[in-house]
Amino acid sequence: MSTPPPAHVLAAFGAGGVPPERLPGGRGLAYRCGDIVFKPVDNTAEASWIASTFEQLRISGIRVARPVRSSDGRWVVAGWSAERFVSGRVEPRYNEIIETSLILHEALAGVANPRYLRDRSDLYSWADRLAWGELVADRRTLGDGHGARLFDELALGRKPVDLPGQLVHGDMFGNVLFAGSAPPAVIDMTPYWRPAVFSAAVIAVDALSWGGAQTELLLEWRHLPEWPQMLLRALLFRLAVSLSHPRSTPESLVEMLTATEIIRPFLD
């Protein structure tokens, strides 16, 4: 849990005098002050670039959390960013989440590849590159148990794909909100540079791993280009994170391994 943003940060974004309220989700790090949501920032360059990108983005059919500038024009003040509050809650409407992903990524298709994405070295970026065969698995990181052997077996099934890369939201499961008849709202952009369908595949893998979805979800979207290979890479990505993340629990790893065996027949 974090501490709330300090008073000078609230004032810089025009929320002075409004008591901050911790929001559910987001690892307990986000706070709402009126119609503004504050979040701590790990990477100032990334947060500023995402904000400048979404400031101008206009998308028909979905809502996005709009970034807020500080009074002196900055996107990040003392390690905090701000955006407009969007109403809604997470619901297990996985087909609609994938539809939302497709709409979002059509709008993002023309965004240039930012250099910082190529320079990132965090665990998730490492797992992403590992899943795409751009790195060789480090046995010290993946371990030598069943999960690591399963990763190696699955990786043998990778085949080249002929899809363009673009900016994608790599963690939409749990970050699409629904509010009555309003369009779905996308929050907490987690950027990667991959084919647009990869985002949909990660949603499907997450939905089967932790959301109680059934395999019919995989069949529903098999018309998407390179769907089996996108599912394979999404599965490798999540499996690498589960095996390597310091906060992974035995229970979550079992769920991931179980989902892997369920999804495996759909990778051909």
Side-chain angles (χ1 to χ4, degrees), residues 60-173:
S60 177
I62 66 175
R63 297 174 291 151
V64 295
R66 296 294 177 192
V68 176
R69 287 184 183 271
S70 68
S71 56
D72 62 2
R74 286 179 291 168
W75 292 119
V76 178
V77 175
W80 290 88
S81 65
E83 60 188 33
R84 296 295 173 189
F85 174 77
V86 290
S87 61
R89 64 181 182 180
V90 175
E91 296 184 9
R93 295 157 63 170
Y94 302 126
N95 281 311
E96 293 175 69
I97 295 174
I98 292 178
E99 289 171 359
T100 300
S101 171
L102 299 180
I103 294 171
L104 173 66
H105 292 105
E106 183 177 359
L108 292 173
V111 176
N113 188 356
R115 179 175 178 176
Y116 79 84
L117 282 182
R118 301 190 292 273
D119 296 337
R120 288 193 313 193
S121 59
D122 60 280
L123 184 148
Y124 291 92
S125 298
W126 167 82
D128 168 64
R129 296 185 185 112
L130 194 65
W132 283 81
E134 297 170 358
L135 294 175
V136 177
D138 184 344
R139 296 269 62 83
R140 294 170 299 175
T141 305
L142 291 181
D144 57 2
H146 171 65
R149 293 191 294 273
L150 184 57
F151 183 96
D152 289 340
E153 292 173 13
L154 292 171
L156 292 174
R158 277 191 305 242
K159 299 175 183 177
V161 296
D162 185 20
L163 294 175
Q166 67 162 83
L167 178 67
V168 300
H169 190 326
D171 191 25
M172 291 187 68
F173 178 82

Side-chain angles (χ1 to χ4, degrees), residues 131-236:
W132 283 81
E134 297 170 358
L135 294 175
V136 177
D138 184 344
R139 296 269 62 83
R140 294 170 299 175
T141 305
L142 291 181
D144 57 2
H146 171 65
R149 293 191 294 273
L150 184 57
F151 183 96
D152 289 340
E153 292 173 13
L154 292 171
L156 292 174
R158 277 191 305 242
K159 299 175 183 177
V161 296
D162 185 20
L163 294 175
Q166 67 162 83
L167 178 67
V168 300
H169 190 326
D171 191 25
M172 291 187 68
F173 178 82
N175 286 314
V176 176
L177 307 181
F178 296 92
S181 60
V186 178
I187 61 173
D188 290 347
M189 177 70 182
T190 304
Y192 296 89
W193 192 263
R194 294 299 177 197
V197 180
F198 180 63
S199 175
V202 174
I203 294 166
V205 168
D206 289 351
L208 267 78
S209 300
W210 300 294
Q214 304 300 307
T215 54
E216 285 76 13
L217 181 68
L218 306 179
L219 299 173
E220 183 75 22
W221 297 98
R222 59 186 170 184
H223 63 281
L224 293 178
E226 302 281 10
W227 183 238
Q229 284 294 311
M230 293 299 101
L231 280 177
L232 173 59
R233 285 159 170 78
L235 196 56
L236 289 170

